[in-house]
Amino acid sequence: MMIKCGSNLWRCFSVIAIVFSSSLMFVLGGDLTELIAKDPRLTEFNTKLQASGIAMSLMRHMSITIFAPTNDAFARYKGAYTMSRDLISYHIVKSSITKDNFPSSLPSELIGGLPIWIQRNYNPFQGEGKQYDFYANNARMISMDITGQSIDGFEQVLHVIDEVLEPTLPNPNDPIYRNPSAQRILTNPSIYGIENDLSNFEKRVQLYNKQIVLQGGEGHTFFIPISSDNEEEWNFVDDKVIDAHIIPNKVLFTKAFPADLQETLALTDMLKTLIVVKNETSHDQQSYELEVQSNTRVGYPDYPRGVVVAKIIKPNIPEIGRAHV
């Protein structure tokens, strides 16, 4: 059954989501400044890197890992930080990490250490010995483990990625607002460049004392619905509905979102709601829309079984977990 509106766990809201393979290449010799400068795919990144004095100092004298977007990635980038030092800092980690040693997240050189989230997805079509796609946030790693050495002898690692990593930065750039939680984004969306009204959902979160879940949700994925004019509709949003918007213990970005349904916090013997993200691409392949589908498979009268579909209007907001609106 397809439910368009009603008292389902997921309403007919547009949704903001906060969330979160490769050919292998090994190159030895020189520091990463030299390797990046010689790579024709990375001329745009190299230009921005050269303009960042801090980044250049790190590269010449320390053990680091760099996630370098290609020229095509920068050509597609429509974010607000095209020449920002913060943007470059968010692509640098102050330790050398190869793919075999990736943790679930890495602290970036951005002030506050906003994490870069790592995801590994099984891909049976990669061929023998290359059975996984690796992602940094929403960017797929297309070349990995390119190694160099600083002038002081420290190991350095370069991973080439197909998308620019955009940090979540506050405006004004006050350190107190750095490294936001989903709760902080929900409370002050405009500070983080989100112009949508999230106040209805925020009020329901406060009413049911769910702030702690959104404040301490490191490693969670959140789907945050925008407000609507139908106040009566929001009366159906209780603690169980809020739980149905949260995938616990996984940071999932849209490009790397698993194809199978993901369990939400609304998971009991009496109630079971799962989520999947779909990419709806146009017939001419020139445009696409992201949708999130919730599937309530086990329910009772107040929470009937069925599917609700919502459009994702602002995906992949990196914080201490992952948020989508």
Side-chain angles (χ1 to χ4, degrees):
M1 156 173 84
M2 179 68 71
I3 298 177
K4 293 187 176 179
C5 286
S7 56
N8 201 278
L9 282 183
W10 271 65
R11 318 298 301 164
C12 295
F13 301 138
S14 293
V15 176
I16 293 178
I18 296 180
V19 198
F20 257 110
S21 173
S22 46
S23 57
L24 303 181
M25 185 188 306
F26 299 87
V27 181
L28 298 175
D31 62 39
L32 290 194
T33 57
E34 298 174 18
L35 300 180
I36 290 171
K38 293 177 182 177
D39 193 325
R41 300 171 298 175
L42 306 178
T43 54
E44 187 68 24
F45 182 74
N46 184 52
T47 297
K48 299 180 187 304
L49 194 63
Q50 295 288 341
S52 174
I54 294 177
M56 293 299 291
S57 176
L58 284 172
M59 291 177 69
R60 291 198 174 278
H61 298 285
M62 300 193 70
S63 175
I64 58 170
T65 297
I66 291 185
F67 296 92
T70 62
N71 297 334
D72 288 341
F74 275 107
R76 294 190 304 270
Y77 178 62
K78 306 300 182 185
Y81 310 109
T82 52
M83 291 303 294
S84 168
R85 177 179 292 184
D86 283 333
L87 184 69
I88 296 302
S89 297
Y90 192 47
H91 291 76
I92 299 174
V93 176
K94 200 183 293 183
S95 59
S96 59
I97 309 289
T98 58
K99 71 177 183 66
D100 291 335
N101 297 306
F102 275 142
S104 60
S105 67
L106 296 164
S108 71
E109 267 303 287
L110 192 65
I111 295 174
L114 184 70
I116 299 170
W117 294 95
I118 305 297
Q119 187 169 334
R120 186 179 75 163
N121 284 3
Y122 178 69
N123 184 349
F125 303 107
Q126 278 284 44
E128 186 176 355
K130 302 178 183 178
Q131 295 183 334
Y132 292 92
D133 289 331
F134 287 82
Y135 293 84
N137 290 1
N138 203 50
R140 187 170 67 91
M141 302 183 205
I142 57 177
S143 296
M144 303 174 65
D145 293 351
I146 303 171
T147 60
Q149 193 174 76
S150 74
I151 61 176
D152 296 330
F154 293 104
E155 184 181 41
Q156 301 180 329
V157 181
L158 172 67
H159 306 292
V160 179
I161 56 179
D162 69 353
E163 189 170 307
V164 176
L165 307 181
E166 183 170 18
T168 303
L169 296 174
N171 184 21
N173 198 355
D174 189 327
I176 194 174
Y177 294 112
R178 293 250 180 176
N179 266 13
S181 64
Q183 176 62 37
R184 179 166 285 176
I185 291 173
L186 183 62
T187 305
N188 301 290
S190 61
I191 290 178
Y192 301 99
I194 300 170
E195 301 306 323
N196 308 90
D197 181 7
L198 309 181
S199 60
N200 285 358
F201 192 66
E202 181 199 7
K203 291 174 184 176
R204 306 307 289 183
V205 167
Q206 292 179 349
L207 180 63
Y208 288 95
N209 296 315
K210 302 294 287 188
Q211 299 98 317
I212 191 168
V213 179
L214 280 78
Q215 287 171 349
E218 183 169 354
H220 297 350
T221 298
F222 305 91
F223 293 85
I224 302 178
I226 65 174
S227 298
S228 65
D229 295 331
N230 188 345
E231 292 290 338
E232 184 176 346
E233 186 176 50
W234 285 92
N235 292 332
F236 291 98
V237 179
D238 60 10
D239 56 338
K240 297 178 181 62
V241 175
I242 294 169
D243 285 346
H245 289 73
I246 302 169
I247 299 174
N249 305 316
K250 293 182 180 180
V251 177
L252 300 175
F253 290 76
T254 54
K255 190 190 294 185
F257 206 97
D260 55 324
L261 289 162
Q262 300 295 303
E263 295 179 346
T264 69
L265 285 178
L267 190 68
T268 67
D269 291 340
M270 297 293 293
L271 182 65
K272 186 174 184 179
T273 299
L274 303 100
I275 289 176
V276 68
V277 168
K278 299 290 187 179
N279 183 334
E280 299 296 327
T281 303
S282 63
H283 292 296
D284 60 8
Q285 304 293 308
Q286 297 303 305
S287 62
Y288 70 93
E289 287 187 350
L290 293 171
E291 295 179 346
V292 56
Q293 298 179 6
S294 76
N295 188 324
T296 300
R297 292 186 168 181
V298 179
Y300 45 94
D302 287 341
Y303 312 101
R305 289 180 295 172
V307 175
V308 173
V309 180
K311 178 182 176 181
I312 298 177
I313 58 177
K314 189 172 180 62
N316 304 320
I317 305 169
E319 30 90 45
I320 61 172
R322 169 63 38 203
H324 308 275
V325 177

